[in-house]
């Protein structure tokens, strides 16, 4: 038991005797001159990780058994609905996209409140709404980055709020799919189906099942393929939304940590430097 104030190394927490400085390092009276003056040096191998690094390491370690369990599950057998989706895909290609300039300007106007406690909730709401618009992507990215930079000490809760927003929007979309059928996605999101990567994502999830859905949910991509695959493969609402929430939590935690510590790496999420600069200026203001 080391006493920082006196530099004594006690043999018990009551400090009834102390280790004496010297070649033999014997225990003796704590009042002697050789009992004080000990210094404590911590080995680097025993030092604690900083909180962000510890959270990321813990999340990575916990995700390993989950991924192993998911990968050990047999892939879902191709259903009639999945086959019908691929057969009808070419008939529902392409709808025009909307300009997002005014939307982005409106988001920039909100950045003055980036330090407010409620601002992460606004960013999460934007993430949920963007499931139905798709034109809010740049705006929601700026709102999320500003929420992290505005309250950097709360980056974990900001990431969790955004993940919940993504899951809530996905759940609303899934409910609409269950009530209106696949034609909803074809009629409302033709541009999504027109993207060549959509086919690849659907094929990957068909091959790997739940593990594929979790993996796609972690990527900086839209969630519509995951929602649609969960619907056509007959998975329950809880399973679909649970996988989306887990994947988006991993994604947004990593994005938030990078925003704080290595913003240049955000380019791997497809985030342009100009969007980060907008968020950083809001923090400075």
């Amino acid at each position: 038991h080391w006493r920082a104030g006196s530099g004594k190394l006690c043999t018990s927490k009551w400090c009834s005797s102390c280790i004496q400085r010297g070649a033999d390092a014997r225990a003796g009276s704590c009042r002697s001159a050789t009992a004080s003056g000990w210094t404590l040096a911590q080995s680097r191998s025993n030092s604690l990780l900083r909180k962000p690094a510890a959270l990321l390491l813990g999340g990575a370690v916990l995700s390993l058994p989950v991924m192993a369990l998911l990968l050990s599950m047999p892939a879902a057998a191709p259903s009639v609905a999945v086959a019908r989706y691929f057969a009808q895909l070419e008939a529902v290609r392409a709808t025009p996209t909307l300009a997002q300039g005014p939307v982005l300007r409106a988001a920039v106007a909100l950045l003055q409140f980036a330090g407010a406690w409620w601002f992460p909730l606004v960013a999460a709401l934007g993430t949920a709404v963007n499931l139905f618009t798709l034109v809010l992507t740049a705006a929601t990215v700026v709102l999320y980055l500003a929420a992290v930079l505005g309250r950097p000490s709360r980056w974990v809760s900001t990431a969790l709020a955004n993940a919940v927003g993504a899951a809530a929007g996905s759940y609303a979309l899934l409910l609409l799919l269950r009530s209106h059928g696949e034609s909803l996605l074809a009629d409302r999101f033709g541009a999504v189906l027109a993207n060549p990567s959509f086919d690849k994502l659907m094929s990957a999830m068909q091959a790997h099942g739940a593990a594929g859905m979790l993996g796609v949910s972690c990527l900086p991509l839209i969630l519509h393929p995951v929602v649609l695959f969960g619907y056509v493969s007959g998975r329950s609402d809880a399973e679909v939304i649970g996988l989306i929430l887990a994947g988006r939590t991993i994604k947004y935690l990593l994005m938030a940590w990078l925003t704080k510590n290595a913003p240049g790496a955000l380019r791997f999420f497809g985030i342009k430097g100009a969007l980060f600069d907008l968020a950083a200026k809001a923090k400075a203001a």
Side-chain angles (χ1 to χ4, degrees):
H1 299 267
W2 183 63
R3 297 290 187 267
S6 61
K8 294 180 181 180
L9 192 60
C10 304
T11 57
S12 67
K13 64 180 180 179
W14 309 112
C15 213
S16 56
S17 63
C18 297
I19 303 299
Q20 308 296 307
R21 287 184 290 108
D24 51 359
R26 296 179 179 177
S29 173
C30 291
R31 296 183 179 181
S32 65
T34 57
S36 59
W38 288 97
T39 58
L40 182 66
Q42 184 179 22
S43 171
R44 183 175 178 82
S45 61
N46 294 326
S47 60
L48 297 176
L49 290 174
R50 293 183 178 180
K51 186 176 180 180
L55 287 172
L56 290 175
L57 178 60
V61 171
L62 290 175
S63 66
L64 290 177
V66 175
M67 290 297 295
L69 176 62
L70 291 174
L71 290 173
S72 65
M73 295 179 178
S79 65
V80 175
V82 173
R84 185 171 68 251
Y85 158 75
F86 283 109
Q88 295 176 348
L89 183 60
E90 294 303 322
V92 294
R93 292 292 190 183
T95 58
T97 58
L98 301 175
Q100 58 184 15
V103 176
L104 182 57
R105 287 195 294 271
V108 171
L110 288 172
L111 297 186
Q112 59 183 307
F113 305 107
W117 66 267
W118 47 263
F119 194 80
L121 301 180
V122 175
L125 178 62
T127 298
V129 173
N130 193 43
L131 264 291
F132 298 90
T133 65
L134 297 180
V135 298
L136 299 178
T137 301
T140 55
V141 167
V142 171
L143 290 175
Y144 178 63
L145 297 181
V148 173
L149 293 174
R151 295 168 65 87
S153 62
R154 304 289 181 88
W155 65 275
V156 172
S157 61
T158 299
L160 293 177
N162 225 50
V164 170
S170 300
Y171 184 50
L173 181 59
L174 181 58
L175 291 179
L176 288 174
L177 275 175
R178 295 203 186 282
S179 62
H180 293 83
E182 300 167 53
S183 60
L184 171 72
L185 199 65
D187 296 338
R188 184 65 183 83
F189 302 104
V192 174
L193 302 181
N195 193 319
S197 64
F198 196 90
D199 295 358
K200 297 179 182 179
L201 294 175
M202 292 291 287
S203 299
M205 289 185 288
Q206 185 174 350
H208 300 289
M213 294 175 68
L214 177 63
V216 173
S217 299
C218 293
L219 298 176
L221 301 171
I222 58 177
L223 290 169
H224 298 72
V226 183
V227 175
L228 178 61
F229 182 80
Y231 167 71
V232 299
S233 60
R235 297 179 183 273
S236 67
D237 293 354
E239 183 178 6
V240 175
I241 302 307
L243 289 169
I244 289 176
L245 180 60
R248 273 325 197 225
T249 298
I250 295 172
K251 173 194 171 181
Y252 288 127
L253 282 173
L254 182 56
M255 281 182 62
W257 188 86
L258 291 175
T259 300
K260 281 187 57 181
N261 300 281
L266 289 172
R267 67 181 185 275
F268 296 112
F269 285 85
I271 299 175
K272 296 180 180 179
L275 296 180
F276 177 82
D277 292 341
L278 283 175
K281 289 179 181 178
K283 177 189 177 183

